[in-house]
Amino acid sequence: MLRTLAALASITLTAPAMAQEEEAPDAPSPATILDAASAEDWVMIPPEDLLVMTLAPDQDGDPREVVIQLMPEPFSQGWVENIRTLARARWYDGISVNRVQDNYVVQWGDPGHDNPESGEVDTKPLPEGLRVMEEEDYLADPPFGGGNSPLTHYQGQPTASSPTRVSGRIAFRGNPAWIGESYWKGFPIAGELTPHGFPVWPVHCYGMVGVGRGYSPDTGTGAELYTVIGHAPRHLDRNIALIGRVIDGMEQLSSLPRGSGALGFYTEEEADKRTPILSIRVAADLPEDDQPRFEYLSTTSATFARYAEARANRRDPFFIHPAGGADICNIPVPVRAVTNGGPE
Amino acid sequence: MLRTLAALASITLTAPAMAQEEEAPDAPSPATILDAASAEDWVMIPPEDLLVMTLAPDQDGDPREVVIQLMPEPFSQGWVENIRTLARARWYDGISVNRVQDNYVVQWGDPGHDNPESGEVDTKPLPEGLRVMEEEDYLADPPFGGGNSPLTHYQGQPTASSPTRVSGRIAFRGNPAWIGESYWKGFPIAGELTPHGFPVWPVHCYGMVGVGRGYSPDTGTGAELYTVIGHAPRHLDRNIALIGRVIDGMEQLSSLPRGSGALGFYTEEEADKRTPILSIRVAADLPEDDQPRFEYLSTTSATFARYAEARANRRDPFFIHPAGGADICNIPVPVRAVTNGGPE
């Protein structure tokens, strides 16, 4: 079975629409474009960049596993290193999901640290060797890599070769800034052209994973993590570190019962709703046969450009009015699981 | 208790951030602005415009209720009338939630009609008197109402009196169109300036409720409904009718287990995951004491303008970098429940 995040976002809304109508050969749907991708369009994610989070089995006794792809350089690498350190120290083993806020985030970490009502703090001492990151590390210098980099590919206004103008917000306070959006090695990013430089940063789309923190200048260690389960909270961009994205098992987190306490924390009375996290492992540390294997669609490939354009201008038979554009968070980078025998 | 949808989107991410730090008096947070709203800023929703959907109790035996605010004129009124007709014919009683697709929609309706694998269709005959709507009814003429209408209030480029430029996508295919976004009586809308007119339409934000349909030219009756549980699927705008939004109990739908069939439909094997819908009633038809009462923050009020600006430029103590703008779906119109004694 070929599994893609993109396929999850396909769209017919009633049973009749399940039927396969013919699509025009010159107007392929996003799914058709993905099906036609060549093997070279897919990039294997290194096992050092995959986290496997095992939740306690669900109430039916079925296993629950979540796979997170860690952020590539040059973004958030201090926190990413900390997370590998925490995983290898087995610090995450026995923590829990402590907060589920509708249309916002699921957050997991130390149950004592997380619970604002219990008064407990830091029941689990952190391992040694964690880096202390600065707020300036929320930003990175642009990873320009020549004419073929995705940043130049998508940068600026649409051109004939880059028809999909991915645009979210427009800055307007003070001097309107030029903010562009793009992709970097499978991740959605944004950048701002300022008189002082061109900082870039990853953006808060659905399924992105970030580092909980206290008030500034605290930047968090990576012990407290959250993922986005609603409309992209882009106001968090540049305010908090993003360290990866959920690429498998997202529904295990997004369908958890919401907490009724402030900010969606579970109250003392609903402590039984906290989902235990049995372990979080770097995939590279697992026996080779147990390592999950995932590929993402190269965001510099022509296939991805076609896919993005088709997402922005849906021509599947269901649609009568192509949108003519798309929010970057509505063009998720496709991911597929692979086995030794090839794509599942 | 004052309940607002906006409050659900508040944002601190760790326990230390729960503490109330002082905020600058000249830079109030969205929550502070709402707290200071006057009684006149709030608009009572007529009971004829509220749907009360009662789900079967959850596994703990706790009741589950969802309240939907129906779309005001001039939008989607044919479907809205159909929905009142279906509710009053008690057609919805005994239907079920048949589809839960992660980061996309929850859909409810006739279990036989919905299930693409069962081969059953239309197990429940529809009542008489339903209107057949046209695709052109996805659009409306702009409800301009003079200088104080929200459309003119937010229209076009930002001005000193309208500092929040709410912008989503930018059209670019063919002749780039001018697309603006605004609010109308509590609902997010968009409009396009074309050589032929200025059509406007409601937009697919989190919690918006729409009408499932088959292939064009079918436009659906209102018997099949869905709500958005993920990042705003704006590609559905102008392709399908939106008839309202969930204003209470959203978490009862968004946290349901995802279906493992195509498009998130529950398979035959997981038929027990379908959530029964006991009834859907127009609030006006309930005994007066049982009628839920909700108000929304007037989208033409100065308070809403301040709230929107603060959402776009977060200055709460947690933030270090205001975004300088916001997607319209990140400025949800606040709603609060009221009792006879005033706000809860």
Side-chain angles (χ1 to χ4, degrees):
Chain A
M1 187 182 74
L2 180 70
R3 291 185 291 182
T4 68
L5 293 182
L8 291 176
S10 65
I11 81 108
T12 43
L13 284 161
T14 66
M18 297 291 299
Q20 282 297 321
E21 277 200 10
E22 298 277 326
E23 63 183 22
D26 58 342
S29 69
T32 300
I33 291 168
L34 287 183
D35 286 345
S38 70
E40 292 71 37
D41 289 334
W42 294 94
V43 181
M44 183 67 73
I45 302 171
E48 187 73 7
D49 287 350
L50 290 178
L51 288 182
V52 180
M53 178 160 79
T54 304
L55 309 178
D58 69 15
Q59 58 190 10
D60 296 329
D62 291 324
R64 289 188 283 189
E65 195 172 275
V66 175
V67 180
I68 295 166
Q69 177 186 12
L70 292 169
M71 188 77 66
E73 292 184 37
F75 299 103
S76 307
Q77 290 303 293
W79 292 278
V80 168
E81 285 177 32
N82 282 355
I83 288 165
R84 291 197 189 98
T85 298
L86 287 155
R88 285 173 170 147
R90 310 215 158 178
W91 185 88
Y92 295 116
D93 296 15
I95 63 170
S96 59
V97 177
N98 303 312
R99 175 189 185 190
V100 184
Q101 184 171 2
D102 197 57
N103 191 19
Y104 204 49
V105 296
V106 167
Q107 185 177 337
W108 56 96
D110 186 325
H113 178 74
D114 258 3
N115 190 329
E117 298 186 0
S118 70
E120 302 168 67
V121 286
D122 294 338
T123 58
K124 295 191 75 159
L126 294 171
E128 294 193 0
L130 296 181
R131 290 178 57 181
V132 176
M133 302 301 293
E134 307 292 331
E135 288 178 349
E136 66 190 32
D137 297 319
Y138 296 147
L139 307 176
D141 290 323
F144 281 119
N148 197 36
S149 86
L151 208 57
T152 50
H153 196 75
Y154 278 92
Q155 181 176 241
Q157 296 304 312
T159 65
S161 65
S162 172
T164 302
R165 171 81 168 95
V166 179
S167 179
R169 301 133 333 125
I170 291 180
F172 58 82
R173 213 171 55 133
N175 295 317
W178 185 94
I179 291 187
E181 291 167 334
S182 184
Y183 295 88
W184 177 251
K185 296 188 176 179
F187 282 87
I189 62 171
E192 181 177 26
L193 191 59
T194 77
H196 313 293
F198 185 44
V200 291
W201 59 89
V203 301
H204 275 83
C205 294
Y206 190 93
M208 292 287 282
V209 179
V211 173
R213 66 165 171 87
Y215 282 115
S216 172
D218 181 29
T219 60
T221 60
E224 297 287 322
L225 296 171
Y226 65 91
T227 189
V228 173
I229 60 164
H231 191 72
R234 298 289 302 278
H235 50 290
L236 296 177
D237 294 356
R238 293 182 279 183
N239 282 285
I240 198 161
L242 285 167
I243 55 81
R245 64 173 179 144
V246 174
I247 59 169
D248 197 44
M250 183 65 190
E251 70 283 1
Q252 305 292 1
L253 299 172
S254 58
S255 65
L256 291 175
R258 277 52 180 158
S260 65
L263 306 177
F265 279 93
Y266 293 124
T267 62
E268 287 288 285
E269 291 69 35
E270 54 195 6
D272 60 331
K273 290 186 177 171
R274 291 185 195 163
T275 302
I277 293 173
L278 304 183
S279 66
I280 299 182
R281 297 280 181 272
V282 179
D285 298 343
L286 297 172
E288 195 167 337
D289 285 352
D290 294 344
Q291 293 179 13
R293 293 156 57 92
F294 286 91
E295 295 174 334
Y296 68 90
L297 186 66
S298 166
T299 40
T300 56
S301 67
T303 298
F304 182 76
R306 282 196 298 274
Y307 161 80
E309 196 276 338
R311 290 281 300 174
N313 298 286
R314 297 291 290 266
R315 293 167 297 247
D316 324 36
F318 184 79
F319 288 89
I320 59 172
H321 194 122
D327 184 303
I328 191 170
C329 292
N330 263 324
I331 308 178
V333 177
V335 168
R336 65 178 185 179
V338 290
T339 64
N340 288 334
E344 280 187 6
Chain B
M1 187 184 74
L2 180 70
R3 290 186 291 184
T4 68
L5 293 182
L8 292 176
S10 65
I11 81 106
T12 43
L13 283 162
T14 66
M18 297 289 300
Q20 281 298 320
E21 275 199 11
E22 298 278 324
E23 64 184 22
D26 58 341
S29 70
T32 300
I33 291 167
L34 288 184
D35 287 344
S38 69
E40 292 71 38
D41 289 336
W42 294 94
V43 181
M44 182 67 72
I45 302 170
E48 188 73 7
D49 287 350
L50 289 178
L51 288 182
V52 180
M53 177 161 79
T54 305
L55 309 179
D58 68 15
Q59 59 190 10
D60 296 329
D62 292 324
R64 289 187 283 188
E65 195 172 275
V66 176
V67 180
I68 295 166
Q69 176 186 13
L70 292 169
M71 188 78 64
E73 293 183 34
F75 299 103
S76 307
Q77 291 302 292
W79 292 279
V80 169
E81 285 177 31
N82 282 355
I83 288 164
R84 290 196 190 98
T85 298
L86 287 155
R88 285 172 170 146
R90 310 215 159 178
W91 185 88
Y92 295 117
D93 296 15
I95 62 170
S96 58
V97 176
N98 304 312
R99 175 190 185 190
V100 184
Q101 184 171 1
D102 198 56
N103 191 18
Y104 204 48
V105 297
V106 168
Q107 184 176 339
W108 56 96
D110 185 325
H113 179 73
D114 258 4
N115 189 328
E117 298 187 2
S118 70
E120 302 167 67
V121 287
D122 294 338
T123 58
K124 294 191 75 158
L126 295 171
E128 294 192 1
L130 296 181
R131 291 178 57 181
V132 176
M133 303 300 295
E134 306 294 331
E135 289 177 348
E136 66 191 32
D137 297 318
Y138 297 146
L139 308 177
D141 290 324
F144 282 118
N148 197 36
S149 85
L151 209 57
T152 51
H153 196 76
Y154 278 92
Q155 180 176 242
Q157 294 304 313
T159 66
S161 65
S162 172
T164 303
R165 172 84 168 92
V166 179
S167 180
R169 301 136 329 126
I170 290 179
F172 58 83
R173 213 171 55 131
N175 295 318
W178 185 94
I179 292 187
E181 291 168 335
S182 185
Y183 295 89
W184 178 252
K185 297 188 175 179
F187 282 87
I189 63 171
E192 182 177 25
L193 189 61
T194 76
H196 313 293
F198 185 44
V200 291
W201 59 89
V203 301
H204 274 84
C205 294
Y206 190 92
M208 292 288 282
V209 179
V211 174
R213 65 165 171 86
Y215 281 114
S216 172
D218 181 29
T219 60
T221 60
E224 297 288 322
L225 296 172
Y226 65 90
T227 189
V228 172
I229 60 164
H231 190 72
R234 297 291 302 278
H235 51 288
L236 295 177
D237 293 357
R238 293 182 279 182
N239 282 287
I240 197 163
L242 285 168
I243 56 80
R245 64 173 179 142
V246 174
I247 59 169
D248 197 45
M250 182 64 190
E251 71 282 3
Q252 305 293 0
L253 299 172
S254 57
S255 65
L256 292 175
R258 278 49 181 161
S260 65
L263 306 177
F265 280 94
Y266 294 123
T267 62
E268 287 289 284
E269 291 68 35
E270 54 195 5
D272 60 331
K273 289 187 178 172
R274 291 184 195 164
T275 302
I277 293 173
L278 304 183
S279 67
I280 298 181
R281 296 282 180 271
V282 180
D285 297 343
L286 297 173
E288 194 167 335
D289 286 351
D290 294 345
Q291 293 179 14
R293 292 156 57 91
F294 286 91
E295 295 174 334
Y296 69 89
L297 185 67
S298 167
T299 39
T300 57
S301 67
T303 298
F304 182 75
R306 283 196 298 273
Y307 160 80
E309 196 276 338
R311 290 282 300 176
N313 298 287
R314 297 292 289 267
R315 293 167 297 247
D316 323 36
F318 184 80
F319 289 88
I320 58 171
H321 194 123
D327 185 303
I328 191 170
C329 292
N330 263 324
I331 307 178
V333 178
V335 169
R336 65 179 187 180
V338 290
T339 64
N340 289 334
E344 279 185 4

